[in-house]
Structures are given as structure tokens and as C-alpha cells.
Amino acid sequence: MNNSQQRGTDRSAARRADLIAIGRKLFADTSYDALSMDDIAKQAGVAKGLIYYYFKSKRGYYLAIIEDSVADLVARAGRHDGLPPVERVQRTIDGYLRYAEQHQAAYRAIISGGVGFDAEVHAIRDGVREAMIKTIAEGTYGRADIPCLARTALLGWLCSVEGITLDWVGHRGLPRERVCALLVRTLGDTLRVIEDFEPSFPAPARP
């Protein structure tokens, strides 16, 4: 690839990223069904054809926005490598809650399936779950390869986290710190159950 082609590729990637950033703002507080492609193009200040060029359809555009939000969520949650295990896990959960608090529409779409319950949407949500399980496992055990029972238990805990977080952002009856403490405590209980079944994967000591 010559320099001219590289510059064209870079500009195209930057333009696509700009459209995703605009879309994240547009869909921040507006449902998928409430915005037409004409609305999106008008508010974004671009030709509708440009969105079709990069994303093929409104659904393709929305899925790209959600995938970008997923990457942001996972990156925020796992950005604490130098901390002791217990503090790293606490920071991971707090980062998860902060994301949900600041990006409520995107979070609901990631967890609930904002564009319909099909395989593609489920794959995005499942990708978030696997990334979070890996982050928690690495923070707790220092490794991502854990027994099937441990993964199943952590998945069960994470599903409860999703339900609690959705309820919290919908009602906001508790401060984030209180919700974080609740989730950390229930994670500790889950880790101790895992230790009962898998003694080679001990739970961290209670703080």
C-alpha cells in the first residue's frame, strides 16, 4: 500500500469513527426506533448515503455504535493491572457501574438487546460477559483459564450484576458506592462458593 492509499484508508477509518461518535451521542437518550435515518443524517450534518456507505443500514450503524460502546465498557473495567487483587476487583466493578451511570442508553442496549433479540445482538452481549469474567478471574486468581464450575458461578454472579445495575440506573435510589459495595460483597460470597468446589482456586481474604 502506497502513502496515498494509506492516507485514504486512515481518512476513511477516521470518518467512520467520527460517525460512530456522533451516533453514540444521538442514541444516548433516544431509542433505536425513535430515530429514522433521515433524522440521524440531519442531526449528524451528513448525507444519508454516507451512513449507508460505511454501515449498510440503520441497524448496521447501531450495531457498530454498540460494539464501540462495548469496547469502551470493557476497557474501563479492566484498566487496573498494577493494583492488588482485591482492590483491582473493586475498581473493576466501580468502573462498570460508572460506565452504566454515564452511558445509560448504551448500557441498556448492550444488556437488553436494543435492536431485537437475535444472534448478532446476543453475541455482542455475550462478548461483554466473557470479557468481564476474564477480567474478574485475572484480578482474583491472576489467570483467565479457570474451571468450568468457576466460570459458571461467575457468569451467574455477572447476570445478577446486570439486573441490579439496570434497576439502579432506572431508579437511582442508592449511591454508586453503596451498589459497588453490595456487588463486591456478593462476588466475595461467590468466590468462597467456588473455593468450596475448587480448593485450588482460593477466594481472597475478606478485606
Side-chain angles (χ1 to χ4, degrees):
M1 182 182 294
N2 60 39
N3 289 339
S4 177
Q5 290 173 321
Q6 183 62 52
R7 285 194 297 272
T9 300
D10 291 345
R11 283 196 298 270
S12 179
R15 189 57 170 149
R16 186 179 187 278
D18 286 344
L19 289 171
I20 289 175
I22 290 168
R24 284 183 66 165
K25 292 178 181 177
L26 291 177
F27 285 108
D29 299 305
T30 307
S31 70
Y32 174 78
D33 293 327
L35 285 174
S36 68
M37 283 294 276
D38 288 326
D39 295 330
I40 294 167
K42 182 178 180 180
Q43 293 189 49
V46 300
K48 183 166 62 174
L50 187 67
I51 300 174
Y52 281 115
Y53 173 77
Y54 282 105
F55 305 103
K56 309 303 182 187
S57 66
K58 175 185 171 185
R59 186 175 183 279
Y61 183 41
Y62 193 73
L63 284 173
I65 292 165
I66 295 304
E67 287 171 344
D68 187 70
S69 297
V70 164
D72 189 13
L73 169 58
V74 172
R76 287 189 182 207
R79 205 176 286 157
H80 312 292
D81 290 340
L83 298 173
V86 173
E87 189 174 351
R88 184 180 175 189
V89 168
Q90 290 173 333
R91 293 285 186 89
T92 295
I93 296 170
D94 185 67
Y96 184 94
L97 291 173
R98 284 178 185 272
Y99 179 89
E101 183 179 32
Q102 296 167 7
H103 305 85
Q104 295 184 28
Y107 181 79
R108 288 191 183 96
I110 292 167
I111 301 305
S112 303
V115 290
F117 293 93
D118 61 26
E120 199 165 6
V121 176
H122 278 248
I124 292 172
R125 184 202 60 198
D126 291 347
V128 176
R129 289 177 173 174
E130 291 301 325
M132 290 299 299
I133 289 171
K134 178 183 177 182
T135 298
I136 294 294
E138 288 177 341
T140 303
Y141 305 116
R143 55 191 290 190
D145 56 323
I146 58 177
C148 183
L149 183 141
R151 181 197 167 278
T152 299
L154 288 177
L155 177 61
W157 170 79
L158 183 56
C159 289
S160 73
V161 169
E162 293 170 358
I164 288 169
T165 304
L166 284 171
D167 183 75
W168 173 63
V169 296
H171 296 90
R172 302 304 296 275
L174 294 168
R176 187 188 68 257
E177 295 80 7
R178 190 73 167 164
V179 178
C180 184
L182 170 66
L183 297 179
V184 169
R185 179 72 65 84
T186 58
L187 175 59
D189 293 341
T190 299
L191 294 175
R192 281 181 282 279
V193 170
I194 291 172
E195 182 180 5
D196 288 343
F197 284 87
E198 298 284 352
S200 60
F201 285 79
R206 288 184 184 273

